[in-house]
Amino acid sequence: MAAEQLSPSELELLKKLASLGEPLDLEKSEELIGMPASSAASLASLLEAKGLVKVDRRTATKILLTERGEEVLRNGLPEERLLKLLEANNGSVTVDLARSSLGNDFNIAVGVAMKAGYIKIVNGVITLIDHEGFKASVINLKGGLRSIKEGGLVSEKIVDVLKGRGLVKVEQKSLISIRLLPQGLSLASAKPSIAKLSHELIATGKWREYTLRPYDVSAEPPLRMPARKHFFAEFIEELKDLMKEMGFVEVSGPLVELELFNFDALFQPQDHPAREMHDTFWPDLPPADLSDYADIVARVRYEHEHGWGYQWDEGVASRRILRSQTTAVTIRVLASRPRPPIRFFTIDKVFRADPVDATHLSDFHQLDGIMGWEDFTFRDLLGFLSEFGKRLGLELKFKPAYFPFTEPSVEGYARIGSSMVEVFGAGLFRPEVLRIAGVDYQVGAWGMGVERLALARFGLHDVRDLYSKDYDFLRSFKVKV
């Protein structure tokens, strides 16, 4: 390794280690080489990776006196005080005298001595029965405490006894030393390197104290990960651009919709299964005042009661829901009675209580649209849908279908994986819907599942992949920027 590959800080540490002449104890780094331990540790890790130093790590066990141990060393062990009391009274004292003399240490002293067989208690009198053993035990424990205090060696058995009585504590300490290797020593005398010359270095001549770090012009530039558009968001924008290119005007509507526009204005009866709890979300909101929609309410009432033959309920129509179809947006537009020819579309979120699986979500996007004029036909609608699929790069298949608000109706299918999956429904609005909206020309309508269109477009099999958080997966899609 050349010195030019080292930073000035790394080279500085090598020089200090070389001048020290022995492994550096990291704890004493600031004292020995004038470098904070944290800085020395960080630089040593870099130098170790380059094979210039060796960082030795070991764990040391340290035994320290607790506060109680310090107190006992000063005042004596509880059993030591008991022994002295017995010695001063010819080896025998009453329990009451011992208790008053030893105070809080009485129970400990008596317990330790009796367990070891140094004393016995008969008729309230404590008698010394093993003076030599008692004395030797006190000397050993007291000596152990003193040796620990002074940093000396103590047997493991005595340490265990003292630790069990809370007189000492055992701490594990990590010791780190940095040792200079031969290759590091050979570089310690090299000049520090710099990446570029400054005016000051040239003017003062200090440039001679450095070596200029070489540049590898063949090295690849660093990989940059700039922000980019999400492929599904870009797909939605592509759909909008495609619709505008085909002459459509974008419109929008509220996410929290009235049942009046989500269902009733589309001639969907109030007892239709799609309006039940398992398909629709009802937020906790009060009913709406429909007085601003008096004309359309009157037309809805007439068409439902004469067409379906039941008593239509304005209270049901006034309920607020999370819209289940963006056709609610286009019927609002149609109810404004735009002059033909018309071409409108919307792309936005809808909500349904569907179980989530590979082709269903509880909230998803729909592309809804209407188009029409006086002599508009079902053939015109199919022609538009075919052209839309061709421009999107999808081969669509059509199948006759039934919807409450269109007749004739058709379902559109596209290939997702190995299956043909429904991606839209379409048809001509029924006369009842046109009369409710107040228009007198033919109108074609459709509602497309945008997520399913995306699956077909990108060759995916699971709609949940469109909302993946896998960064590598998301970056695998080519997106216009």
Side-chain angles (χ1 to χ4, degrees):
M1 171 173 288
E4 291 83 359
Q5 296 175 266
L6 300 176
S7 69
S9 298
E10 291 173 324
L11 202 55
E12 179 189 2
L13 179 57
L14 288 181
K15 292 179 183 295
K16 290 180 180 294
L17 291 174
S19 64
L20 185 63
E22 61 182 22
L24 171 66
D25 182 349
L26 191 62
E27 273 194 345
K28 301 178 180 178
S29 175
E30 191 142 17
E31 173 189 341
L32 295 176
I33 64 173
M35 184 179 290
S38 58
S39 301
S42 177
L43 291 171
S45 296
L46 296 173
L47 292 171
E48 184 178 35
K50 297 174 181 178
L52 303 179
V53 303
K54 180 71 173 71
V55 179
D56 297 310
R57 299 172 176 85
R58 62 188 179 88
T59 301
T61 300
K62 193 170 185 180
I63 305 171
L64 303 170
L65 265 61
T66 62
E67 289 186 11
R68 174 63 176 163
E70 295 278 5
E71 179 186 343
V72 165
L73 189 59
R74 290 192 305 270
N75 302 327
L77 292 160
E79 63 268 34
E80 178 185 3
R81 294 171 59 200
L82 175 60
L83 177 60
K84 289 180 179 180
L85 183 62
L86 288 167
E87 290 174 337
N89 290 275
N90 298 319
S92 177
V93 294
T94 65
V95 169
D96 291 338
L97 176 60
R99 192 186 302 277
S100 63
S101 298
L102 299 178
N104 293 333
D105 287 342
F106 171 79
N107 290 334
I108 298 175
V110 171
V112 169
M114 284 194 69
K115 184 176 181 181
Y118 301 142
I119 63 171
K120 66 178 181 178
I121 302 175
V122 179
N123 297 326
V125 176
I126 303 172
T127 304
L128 181 62
I129 59 175
D130 185 0
H131 181 257
E132 294 302 320
F134 201 169
K135 187 174 182 179
S137 173
V138 168
I139 291 173
N140 285 338
L141 293 181
K142 190 72 174 290
L145 285 172
R146 187 175 296 107
S147 182
I148 291 171
K149 176 72 172 180
E150 296 170 355
L153 296 177
V154 182
S155 71
E156 186 176 340
K157 182 178 179 181
I158 290 179
V159 170
D160 288 342
V161 172
L162 295 174
K163 182 182 175 184
R165 293 178 60 176
L167 302 178
V168 299
K169 57 184 178 182
V170 179
E171 292 183 350
Q172 299 292 332
K173 189 175 183 181
S174 179
L175 301 178
I176 300 175
S177 64
I178 305 168
R179 178 163 45 91
L180 190 61
L181 297 179
Q183 189 176 356
L185 181 61
S186 67
L187 294 176
S189 59
K191 294 179 181 180
S193 63
I194 54 175
K196 61 182 178 180
L197 292 172
S198 66
H199 171 76
E200 180 184 357
L201 289 174
I202 296 173
T204 60
K206 288 186 177 180
W207 61 272
R208 295 182 180 87
E209 302 173 10
Y210 300 90
T211 57
L212 194 62
R213 192 176 302 161
Y215 288 90
D216 182 3
V217 294
S218 65
E220 291 291 331
L223 181 63
R224 294 286 183 258
M225 295 291 188
R228 58 181 293 180
K229 293 181 179 179
H230 191 286
F231 76 96
F232 184 53
E234 178 64 20
F235 177 68
I236 291 176
E237 292 302 314
E238 182 183 349
L239 291 180
K240 291 182 179 182
D241 291 341
L242 176 57
M243 294 301 295
K244 291 173 183 177
E245 288 172 6
M246 298 180 74
F248 286 79
V249 176
E250 185 176 7
V251 292
S252 62
L255 294 176
V256 178
E257 184 57 277
L258 304 178
E259 286 201 39
L260 175 68
F261 290 105
N262 197 87
F263 296 124
D264 295 83
L266 294 169
F267 198 54
Q268 194 160 334
Q270 293 183 331
D271 59 355
H272 193 280
R275 298 175 71 150
E276 296 300 320
M277 183 65 74
H278 63 271
D279 282 329
T280 307
F281 290 108
W282 276 273
D284 186 13
L285 294 171
D289 181 1
L290 299 184
S291 59
D292 290 339
Y293 308 109
D295 290 345
I296 194 169
V297 165
R299 294 195 293 269
V300 166
R301 183 189 303 277
Y302 178 85
E303 295 297 338
H304 277 249
E305 292 185 353
H306 286 76
W308 295 116
Y310 72 98
Q311 186 173 355
W312 183 77
D313 187 348
E314 183 175 332
V316 172
S318 67
R319 294 187 302 192
R320 303 175 196 266
I321 63 170
L322 292 181
R323 69 181 178 203
S324 62
Q325 53 189 350
T326 44
T327 315
V329 178
T330 50
I331 196 62
R332 277 180 176 269
V333 173
L334 193 62
S336 68
R337 301 182 181 181
R339 297 182 60 182
I342 62 167
R343 289 174 181 259
F344 295 103
F345 82 96
T346 185
I347 297 181
D348 211 338
K349 282 266 192 175
V350 297
F351 308 88
R352 294 182 188 175
D354 287 336
V356 176
D357 57 28
T359 55
H360 294 84
L361 294 173
S362 57
D363 62 299
F364 55 97
H365 295 79
Q366 274 192 339
L367 189 167
D368 230 276
I370 53 174
M371 60 189 300
W373 44 86
E374 289 184 1
D375 55 352
F376 183 83
T377 66
F378 191 57
R379 178 178 293 181
D380 294 321
L381 177 62
L382 294 180
F384 158 74
L385 294 172
S386 298
E387 178 65 18
F388 175 86
K390 181 189 292 186
R391 294 196 184 192
L392 203 56
L394 301 179
E395 181 184 355
L396 300 177
K397 301 291 185 181
F398 298 109
K399 174 185 174 183
Y402 166 78
F403 299 106
F405 45 87
T406 57
E407 180 62 35
S409 302
V410 67
E411 290 176 347
Y413 289 77
R415 184 167 298 281
I416 297 178
S418 59
S419 305
M420 296 298 289
V421 178
E422 181 191 354
V423 293
F424 67 80
L428 297 184
F429 272 144
R430 292 177 57 147
E432 295 89 346
V433 176
L434 297 177
R435 289 195 293 268
I436 287 172
V439 300
D440 56 2
Y441 48 85
Q442 292 294 331
V443 178
W446 62 90
M448 300 180 177
V450 176
E451 277 80 357
R452 291 188 181 182
L453 288 175
L455 293 184
R457 171 67 177 278
F458 294 110
L460 300 174
H461 308 293
D462 195 320
V463 70
R464 291 164 291 196
D465 289 341
L466 300 176
Y467 297 92
S468 170
K469 296 180 181 179
D470 186 332
Y471 187 72
D472 292 332
F473 171 76
L474 295 176
R475 289 193 63 82
S476 68
F477 292 88
K478 303 298 182 182
V479 177
K480 299 176 184 177
V481 179

